[in-house]
Amino acid sequence: IYLAWDKKEKAFEYFNMALKINKRIGQESNMAENLSNIGAVYYFRGNHDKALYYFNKALNVDKRLGNVEDVATRYHNIGSLYLKQNKFRKAAENLLKSIEKIEKIREKTPTDKLKRTYLQKQIKTYQRLVLVYIRNNQFDKAFNIIELSKAKVLAERLAGRRMDLSIPYLKEVQQDMQGNEGLLIYTNSNLNNLVEMSVTSNSKQGIEVNKEDFIDKIQARYSEEIDEMVKRKNRIRKIKSFGSEGIKGLWDKENEDEEFENIIYYYRKLLTEGKNTEYMARELYKLLITPLEDEIKDKQELVIVPDGILNFIPFETLIDEEGKYLVEKYKISYIQSETVSAIIKDRSYPEDRKELLAFGGAVYEEEDYEEDIIKNEKQLAYLQKQVNKVLEERGSIEKFYGKLGYGNWSNLPGTLAEVKSIGEIMKEGEITTGKEVKEEKVKELSKQDELDEYRVLHFATHGIVVPEVPELSAVVLSQLEEKQGDDPDQSGEDGYLRMGEIVNLDIKADFVNLSACDTGLGKIYAGEGVVGLTQSFLLAGANSLSVSLWSVVDKSTAKFMVAVYKLVKEEGISYAEAMNEVKLRFINGDFGNKYCKPYYWAPFIYYGVKK
């Protein structure tokens, strides 16, 4: 605490007292921690020789005791010190040793959730190593470390193995790229210096971008509004960014950047309320695009690998110096990592699949939830335990939605018109409406090996994303009276097609369209990215998805989706290209001047690869 308060002498005094006590009673593990903390004091004093001496002493104790996680921490600290001194070779050497230990521990971690959580706690080691390589202009190596940390659990599950995941080399990625393509990769978004990389078929560039000027400009203009938003944001039902919790031992004074996160939330707020976003969109363009603009200026297509809170904004809405949206300059799509992209590209599905299966016009009954609404973090933690227990026992989880304040789903008459219009365009497609839009039907189609017969799956329904309890995130289908109780042997379902259930579906779709609210959101894990419905459908077999970043208007959604299918059918272009083209038509006023604002066209983003 004294060290956090920058009272180094007091910190030094207490760490030494602790060291003497632990030495007297023979607590060697605690001694190693004390030695490391004393090294941290010297580090912040600027006495790097003394810091290195104590870090190495701590390392030797932990090595002798076989404390693998603590050994990883000591290597991290030593690597961070060398990074501070710009001794890049030694910094890389020690940080790589730390990552080697981290990966060994992670491999032995039993569940995907624990793997993500552990990586999140250790992510700063990867972040520092990226900085080493970027500052030393070793962009190939920087790319490799970014890929090693991004969407790791997703990539492992997609690859069907837990260890020895094949990460593509940067040269391989470049060889696979077309001349008109550009790749933009972001990382370290939670730190003061954002790392941005651009990759094309014949170039590669990496740069550190300090966010201070951007933050100062936005705060000078919107500080009161952002402060008010932050006050209201402290509720349970809110998108949350779960950043790195750091590791034991040395911590950096350039810690997580909450100001930047709040600014991104405020930008989202302006977008979702249909308000003027021009100033912020221009400043975000300068921050996120301008530093690498020369590398991509002659490209037509951009694939974006976002990071952290940047997953929650559509890059299409950023505005350049000429007043053009980014989507007016490039065809834009997103992917969690190039490793994920490579795995999806390797999939091979039959050519003779059916055209489309669409669900819309679901029936939602009025429900009366009498449960007490969750009001604090303690209750939320208890609910999470209850959810885990019920899922293990294959019981009904429907009641938990009420506790979180979800329910009373209203009918969406626009979705019925939407899927009928799509059916008129995709004449060989199949349309399911009304009470038939049920969970049981989707699962039954999967069990009978019929769901995998469709190139495209379209869900025009309600969607729900619960960042606080990701297991509850679901596509909301018809809410029928004949739902099952807690007896798993009954054939009925509760109408919530949850993440865990989606993963178990057998899908061979080139494109899944989640024409619903907030389906692109989820829980952010540092390193892993957003865990939500998008990941679930990719794991189930989808090659790409259209998901939404905020609640969308029924009528404009129908216009958007119908236009996408019409373009695909009539012009033979991909769904990614069609989505970009429809956005341009909205901007140009083809659907009426009312719909020109980003609010109407920007929430829909394309994740995955074009097939």
Side-chain angles (χ1 to χ4, degrees), residues 25 27 132 138 140 149 172 190 242 266 283 318 330 341-342 373 394 412 420 471 523 535 548 592 596:
I25 62 176
Q27 292 290 337
V132 169
Q138 295 174 287
D140 294 68
S149 65
E172 296 173 339
N190 60 320
F242 289 73
Y266 184 65
E283 293 303 318
L318 308 187
Y330 305 99
S341 177
I373 301 296
R394 296 178 61 240
L412 298 171
K420 285 185 176 179
E471 295 84 356
K523 178 173 178 176
Q535 283 205 1
S548 65
C596 291

Side-chain angles (χ1 to χ4, degrees), residues 268-277 550 597-600:
R268 272 184 52 83
K269 183 174 183 290
L270 294 179
L271 284 169
T272 59
E273 293 177 358
K275 294 182 179 176
N276 190 321
T277 58
W550 59 78
K597 291 181 179 180
Y599 168 73
Y600 294 103

Side-chain angles (χ1 to χ4, degrees), residues 309-326:
I309 195 65
L310 296 178
N311 282 277
F312 287 164
I313 61 168
F315 280 65
E316 289 92 329
T317 62
L318 308 187
I319 298 175
D320 70 4
E321 289 182 352
E322 298 175 359
K324 285 187 175 181
Y325 290 112
L326 190 65

Side-chain angles (χ1 to χ4, degrees), residues 58-160:
L59 173 63
N60 290 333
V61 172
D62 283 319
K63 276 184 174 179
R64 183 162 47 79
L65 296 175
N67 297 335
V68 180
E69 187 167 354
D70 289 331
V71 167
T73 299
R74 310 310 168 216
Y75 279 128
H76 167 96
N77 291 348
I78 294 168
S80 297
L81 188 149
Y82 282 127
L83 174 59
K84 196 83 168 177
Q85 297 176 323
N86 291 327
K87 295 179 178 178
F88 299 128
R89 185 182 62 79
K90 287 187 175 181
E93 181 182 306
N94 283 278
L95 291 170
L96 281 168
K97 287 179 180 178
S98 180
I99 286 174
E100 181 186 354
K101 302 295 182 186
I102 290 168
E103 288 296 323
K104 282 184 178 179
I105 295 169
R106 213 185 57 80
E107 284 172 8
K108 296 175 183 177
T109 306
T111 68
D112 292 338
K113 187 172 182 178
L114 288 174
K115 285 177 186 288
R116 290 191 191 102
T117 302
Y118 183 72
L119 181 61
Q120 173 172 275
K121 288 178 179 178
Q122 309 295 338
I123 196 65
K124 283 191 176 178
T125 305
Y126 299 82
Q127 291 178 327
R128 278 167 175 72
L129 188 52
V130 169
L131 288 179
V132 169
Y133 291 139
I134 291 292
R135 290 176 186 177
N136 207 28
N137 295 320
Q138 295 174 287
F139 303 132
D140 294 68
K141 290 184 176 181
F143 173 84
N144 186 263
I145 296 302
I146 291 170
E147 285 293 312
L148 187 63
S149 65
K150 275 188 181 290
K152 188 69 177 288
V153 176
L154 172 62
E156 286 171 341
R157 293 190 67 186
L158 282 168

